[in-house]
């Protein structure tokens, strides 16, 4: 057993993602980068790119304000995200084959191992987008089949990460009181994504026990992820109050708290929507009430955290250099969009529709900035250049 004391600092930021460096000339890039370097630098946190891109498509598909062309653009974004998933999956397999020692080291790194929650969430994000948008292109039957495959794979991997990563944290590492950061949520959130995405698959099962089984499985995953997330959020809140902001390179991880909050509101609402197809009327009505009694207060806390996250980011903006943690500005915010949309669908309250549209605009703006910086620093910076 390897035991260590871990405190996130500016030195550990490179374990999450390499910060961008000043642009280099073409000659410098050609001399300094060898074949296979990009694969060597690949890590599971890169699947956050798929998550952050795919959530835009999924949020747009159900946005309360639907204007001409939105669905077409959303479908295009889904296709781009699906392509990114395919490319990254192939590259990650090649990374494991060519650089197995580096790949294994990610699971031992107290920061990077948290991001093993990203691949399963990326799978389910694209699966859901296939059902919501891809069906217009490939047909509903094929879309449902693909979603089943991606959701099943993502669910299995997500349950493994939700158990294995905390176990490894308990048995392999010793953490100081100021070690908690938003990345600790990454391994335990995938089952919540399974609950939200699985709800939309319930109507595609035969009536009776199959639908009931999946619904209860989704509720169980909702619960296990929710309780683990709330425990972790408490530690993150305590860390911020007692020890202040994390290192500049880790500030963006504060936004990750929005993920389980927004996704839990989304899951509760979507499970309540499909409950009448799987449960007796009384139980279905109970879930509908729960979706509001749980959803609205949790949504309120999410809005509080969003305000804190914006304020913290603005406060630290001058010291924040770009790295892959900036993708934390996208997917968690997207779950707040879908959570607001679900609450609007259940209540008809204009408040939730207005907030959903406003947050969607913020999501698109954040994605545009982060995506542009990722492309730039992949070509001219150090994102795909391993440390020597």
């Amino acid at each position: 057993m390897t035991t260590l004391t871990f405190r996130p600092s500016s030195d550990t930021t490179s374990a999450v993602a390499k910060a961008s460096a000043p642009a280099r000339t073409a000659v410098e890039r050609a001399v300094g980068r060898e074949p296979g370097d990009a694969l060597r630098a690949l890590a599971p946190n890169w699947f956050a790119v798929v998550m952050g891109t795919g959530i835009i498509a999924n949020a747009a598909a159900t946005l309360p304000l639907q204007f001409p062309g939105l669905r077409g653009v959303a479908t295009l974004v889904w296709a781009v995200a699906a392509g990114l998933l395919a490319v990254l999956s192939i590259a990650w397999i090649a990374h494991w084959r060519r650089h197995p020692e580096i790949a294994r080291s990610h699971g031992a790194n107290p920061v990077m191992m948290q991001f093993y929650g990203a691949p399963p969430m990326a799978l389910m994000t694209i699966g859901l987008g296939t059902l919501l948008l891809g069906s217009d292109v490939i047909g509903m039957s094929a879309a449902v089949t693909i979603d089943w495959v991606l959701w099943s794979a993502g669910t299995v991997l997500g349950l493994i990460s939700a158990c294995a990563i905390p176990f490894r944290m308990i048995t392999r590492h010793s953490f100081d009181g100021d070690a908690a950061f938003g990345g600790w949520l990454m391994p335990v959130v995938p089952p919540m994504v399974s609950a939200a995405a699985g709800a939309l698959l319930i109507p595609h099962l035969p009536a009776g026990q199959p639908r009931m089984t999946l619904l209860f499985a989704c509720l169980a995953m909702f619960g296990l992820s929710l309780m683990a997330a709330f425990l972790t959020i408490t530690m993150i809140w305590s860390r911020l109050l007692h020890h202040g902001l994390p290192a500049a390179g880790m500030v963006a991880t504060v936004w990750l708290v929005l993920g389980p909050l927004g996704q839990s509101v989304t899951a509760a609402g979507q499970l309540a929507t499909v409950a009448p197809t799987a449960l007796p009327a009384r139980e279905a009505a109970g879930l509908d009430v729960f979706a509001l009694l749980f959803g609205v207060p949790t949504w309120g806390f999410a809005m509080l955290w969003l305000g804190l996250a914006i304020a913290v980011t603005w406060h630290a903006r001058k010291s924040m250099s770009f790295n892959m943690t900036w993708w934390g500005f996208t997917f968690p915010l997207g779950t707040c969009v879908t959570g607001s949309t679900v609450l609007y669908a259940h209540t008809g309250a204009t408040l939730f529709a207005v907030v959903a549209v406003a947050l969607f605009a913020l999501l698109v703006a954040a994605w545009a900035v982060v995506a542009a910086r990722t492309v730039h620093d992949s070509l001219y910076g150090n994102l795909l250049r391993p440390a020597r």
Side-chain angles (χ1 to χ4, degrees), residues 100-160:
E101 70 291 343
I102 297 177
R104 285 192 295 269
S105 72
H106 293 155
N109 186 288
V111 173
M112 187 58 73
M113 69 179 182
Q114 309 298 333
F115 293 89
Y116 272 102
M121 287 191 282
L123 290 171
M124 290 183 284
T125 299
I126 299 306
L128 180 59
T130 304
L131 187 63
L132 293 174
L133 298 162
S135 56
D136 294 347
V137 179
I138 63 176
M140 181 57 72
S141 178
V144 170
T145 300
I146 292 173
D147 191 17
W148 270 117
V149 172
L150 295 180
W151 180 85
S152 299
T155 296
V156 171
L157 293 176
L159 290 172
I160 292 174

Side-chain angles (χ1 to χ4, degrees), residues 18 96 122 130 135 151 202 226 257 363 367 371-372:
K18 295 185 174 61
W96 271 92
T130 304
S135 56
W151 180 85
I202 291 174
L226 180 69
V257 173
L363 169 64
W367 177 88

Side-chain angles (χ1 to χ4, degrees), residues 5-388:
T5 299
F6 174 70
R7 175 185 289 110
S9 66
S10 57
D11 293 336
T12 63
T13 303
S14 60
V16 183
K18 295 185 174 61
S20 59
R24 295 170 288 127
T25 65
V27 174
E28 290 172 328
R29 293 198 306 275
V31 171
R33 182 175 296 177
E34 300 175 359
D37 273 359
L39 284 180
R40 185 185 306 171
L42 194 65
N45 60 334
W46 271 86
F47 284 88
V49 178
V50 179
M51 295 166 56
T53 304
I55 195 66
I56 293 180
N58 296 352
T62 56
L63 198 68
L65 177 63
Q66 291 289 318
F67 51 85
L70 177 62
R71 188 171 181 85
V73 173
T75 303
L76 177 61
V77 173
W78 159 78
V80 170
L84 287 171
L85 175 63
V87 170
L88 280 174
S89 297
I90 294 171
W92 203 29
I93 293 172
H95 168 75
W96 271 92
R97 289 176 62 87
R98 297 188 60 174
H99 308 289
E101 70 291 343
I102 297 177
R104 285 192 295 269
S105 72
H106 293 155
N109 186 288
V111 173
M112 187 58 73
M113 69 179 182
Q114 309 298 333
F115 293 89
Y116 272 102
M121 287 191 282
L123 290 171
M124 290 183 284
T125 299
I126 299 306
L128 180 59
T130 304
L131 187 63
L132 293 174
L133 298 162
S135 56
D136 294 347
V137 179
I138 63 176
M140 181 57 72
S141 178
V144 170
T145 300
I146 292 173
D147 191 17
W148 270 117
V149 172
L150 295 180
W151 180 85
S152 299
T155 296
V156 171
L157 293 176
L159 290 172
I160 292 174
S161 78
C163 181
I165 300 304
F167 174 78
R168 196 172 186 90
M169 293 171 68
I170 293 168
T171 59
R172 295 295 185 94
H173 303 289
S174 178
F175 294 90
D176 290 335
D178 60 347
F181 76 112
W184 282 13
L185 290 164
M186 291 291 290
V188 300
V189 173
M192 186 66 76
V193 179
S194 293
L200 274 68
L201 285 170
I202 291 174
H204 297 281
L205 285 173
Q209 286 296 323
R211 292 185 183 182
M212 185 180 296
T213 299
L214 181 56
L215 186 135
F216 283 136
C218 288
L219 281 173
M221 290 188 287
F222 170 91
L224 77 87
S225 182
L226 180 69
M227 294 178 188
F230 276 172
L231 288 171
T232 306
I233 291 171
T234 301
M235 289 187 284
I236 296 171
W237 181 283
S238 176
R239 183 256 183 268
L240 292 173
L241 290 180
H242 289 101
H243 302 283
L245 291 178
M250 306 286 277
V251 168
T253 63
V254 173
W255 288 69
L256 296 179
V257 173
L258 294 172
L261 297 176
Q263 196 68 279
S264 63
V265 175
T266 303
Q270 290 179 339
L271 287 170
T273 298
V274 300
T277 69
L279 297 177
R282 187 185 68 170
E283 286 79 1
L287 277 181
D288 190 60
V289 173
F290 172 76
L292 295 184
L293 293 182
F294 168 82
V296 176
T298 304
W299 180 87
F301 182 65
M303 295 303 102
L304 168 64
W305 195 277
L306 175 61
L308 288 173
I310 292 174
V312 162
T313 304
W314 180 259
H315 177 78
R317 69 191 185 282
K318 293 182 180 179
S319 59
M320 292 175 61
S321 58
F322 177 76
N323 60 55
M324 288 298 289
T325 65
W326 282 35
W327 280 97
F329 296 139
T330 57
F331 186 84
L333 184 59
T335 68
C336 292
V337 177
T338 58
S340 300
T341 297
V342 163
L343 288 177
Y344 171 68
H346 279 268
T347 65
T350 304
L351 166 67
F352 298 119
V354 171
V355 171
V357 174
L359 292 182
F360 181 75
L362 180 60
L363 169 64
V364 172
W367 177 88
V369 171
V370 178
R373 292 297 301 271
T374 301
V375 172
H376 178 274
D377 282 29
S378 295
L379 296 176
Y380 302 105
N382 283 344
L383 284 186
L384 289 176
R385 183 179 174 82
R388 296 294 185 186

